[in-house]
């Protein structure tokens, strides 16, 4: 899943990997979908350069995650994810805190990726607490904050239901003496507030698209994460554009 800024706010695209390349499906509200997410994974390729994506040469089946070991080794972001000091990533980075449902997390992203990074994560509210850092220093700050009790990752199940007030975020910022503008993230997207009461990681998804929140889609009844690496089955005798 990827996000871009459109005329009506941030909107999501479903990017699918196939042996021959990639295909993009824009997730438009009220568009009808019918597909099944199954318990099988394939490698989604790697990033050879910033903003680029290359297919896995073998389109390998994998047991977990979204990359085979070969593609992970080629990916320019692998060292950054591991926290290696000798990383190829240059630039200016920010440390942020984000409220997602009833939890608050800490994270690192490039200065220019705020607020889009919060949108990608399905945050309700976000605040930048440090900016203009080198990648290594930003990761150290993140580590110090997370060791003080904040999560670096939040499971998709815990990202619902949405919260309409940033009280938890403000409380955590005050406790750590951080200052920064708190932004309402969901107001930045073109989608309505997610109202689904059910959640499942695999199975059949049918009906009109109600909302998208981070990597999770909803038809108003069921919320389902579009997890990177998971295989999506096409409806029988229909092409991908029939999703």
């Amino acid at each position: 899943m990827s996000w871009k800024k459109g005329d009506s706010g941030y909107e999501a695209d479903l990017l699918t990997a196939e042996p021959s390349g990639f295909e993009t499906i824009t997730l438009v509200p009220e568009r009808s979908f019918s597909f099944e997410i199954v318990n099988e994974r394939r490698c989604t390729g790697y990033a050879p350069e910033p903003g680029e994506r290359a297919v896995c040469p073998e389109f390998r089946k994998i047991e977990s995650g979204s990359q085979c070991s070969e593609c992970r080794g080629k990916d320019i972001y692998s060292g950054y994810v591991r926290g290696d000091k000798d990383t190829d990533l240059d630039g200016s980075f920010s440390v942020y805190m984000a409220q997602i449902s009833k939890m608050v997390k800490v994270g690192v992203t490039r200065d220019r990726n705020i607020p889009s990074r919060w949108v990608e994560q399905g945050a309700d509210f976000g605040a930048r607490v440090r900016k203009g850092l080198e990648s290594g220093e930003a990761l150290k700050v993140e580590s110090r904050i997370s060791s003080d009790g904040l999560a670096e990752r939040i499971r998709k199940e815990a990202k619902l239901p949405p919260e309409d007030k940033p009280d938890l975020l403000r409380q955590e910022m005050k406790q750590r003496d951080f200052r920064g503008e708190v932004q309402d993230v969901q107001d930045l997207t073109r989608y309505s507030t997610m109202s689904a009461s059910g959640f499942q990681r695999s199975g059949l998804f049918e009906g009109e698209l109600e909302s998208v929140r981070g990597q999770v889609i909803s038809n108003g009844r069921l919320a389902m994460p579009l997890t990177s690496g998971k295989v999506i089955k096409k409806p029988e005798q229909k092409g991908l554009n029939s999703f």
Side-chain angles (χ1 to χ4, degrees), residues 97-116:
M97 295 170 64
Q99 179 178 329
I100 306 176
S101 189
K102 300 184 184 303
M103 298 184 69
V104 177
K105 74 176 294 290
V106 60
V108 170
T109 191
R110 291 183 183 274
D111 286 348
R112 65 173 182 266
N113 288 345
I114 287 179
S116 59

Side-chain angles (χ1 to χ4, degrees), residues 73-119:
K74 295 178 180 178
D75 198 302
I76 63 167
Y77 296 108
S78 293
Y80 172 70
V81 171
R82 292 192 303 267
D84 293 349
K85 292 182 179 180
D86 185 18
T87 175
D88 292 332
L89 294 182
D90 297 322
S92 185
F93 289 79
S94 290
V95 180
Y96 65 86
M97 295 170 64
Q99 179 178 329
I100 306 176
S101 189
K102 300 184 184 303
M103 298 184 69
V104 177
K105 74 176 294 290
V106 60
V108 170
T109 191
R110 291 183 183 274
D111 286 348
R112 65 173 182 266
N113 288 345
I114 287 179
S116 59
R117 182 59 178 150
W118 301 334
V119 173

Side-chain angles (χ1 to χ4, degrees), residues 67-195:
Q67 291 176 300
C68 65
S69 58
E70 180 181 338
C71 288
R72 189 163 53 248
K74 295 178 180 178
D75 198 302
I76 63 167
Y77 296 108
S78 293
Y80 172 70
V81 171
R82 292 192 303 267
D84 293 349
K85 292 182 179 180
D86 185 18
T87 175
D88 292 332
L89 294 182
D90 297 322
S92 185
F93 289 79
S94 290
V95 180
Y96 65 86
M97 295 170 64
Q99 179 178 329
I100 306 176
S101 189
K102 300 184 184 303
M103 298 184 69
V104 177
K105 74 176 294 290
V106 60
V108 170
T109 191
R110 291 183 183 274
D111 286 348
R112 65 173 182 266
N113 288 345
I114 287 179
S116 59
R117 182 59 178 150
W118 301 334
V119 173
E120 294 167 356
Q121 294 184 331
D124 295 301
F125 302 94
R128 189 197 324 247
V129 296
R130 294 285 301 275
K131 66 179 294 186
L133 305 177
E134 293 184 352
S135 60
E137 179 61 24
L139 289 169
K140 289 179 182 177
V141 173
E142 178 191 41
S143 179
R144 286 199 297 268
I145 297 174
S146 65
S147 66
D148 191 33
L150 282 192
E152 294 184 25
R153 294 177 178 83
I154 296 176
R155 291 181 60 83
K156 294 181 177 68
E157 294 93 328
K159 293 186 176 184
L160 295 172
E163 283 288 314
D164 59 3
K165 293 182 179 179
D167 296 348
L168 291 174
L169 175 57
R170 293 189 188 279
Q171 177 182 325
E172 294 289 354
M173 291 175 65
K174 182 178 180 180
Q175 181 178 326
R176 293 164 176 80
D177 198 28
F178 283 135
R179 292 172 176 80
E181 178 187 359
V182 174
Q183 288 188 256
D184 187 327
V185 180
Q186 292 304 309
D187 275 356
L188 301 177
T189 79
R190 67 176 298 181
Y191 303 102
S192 60
T193 301
M194 191 169 287
S195 62

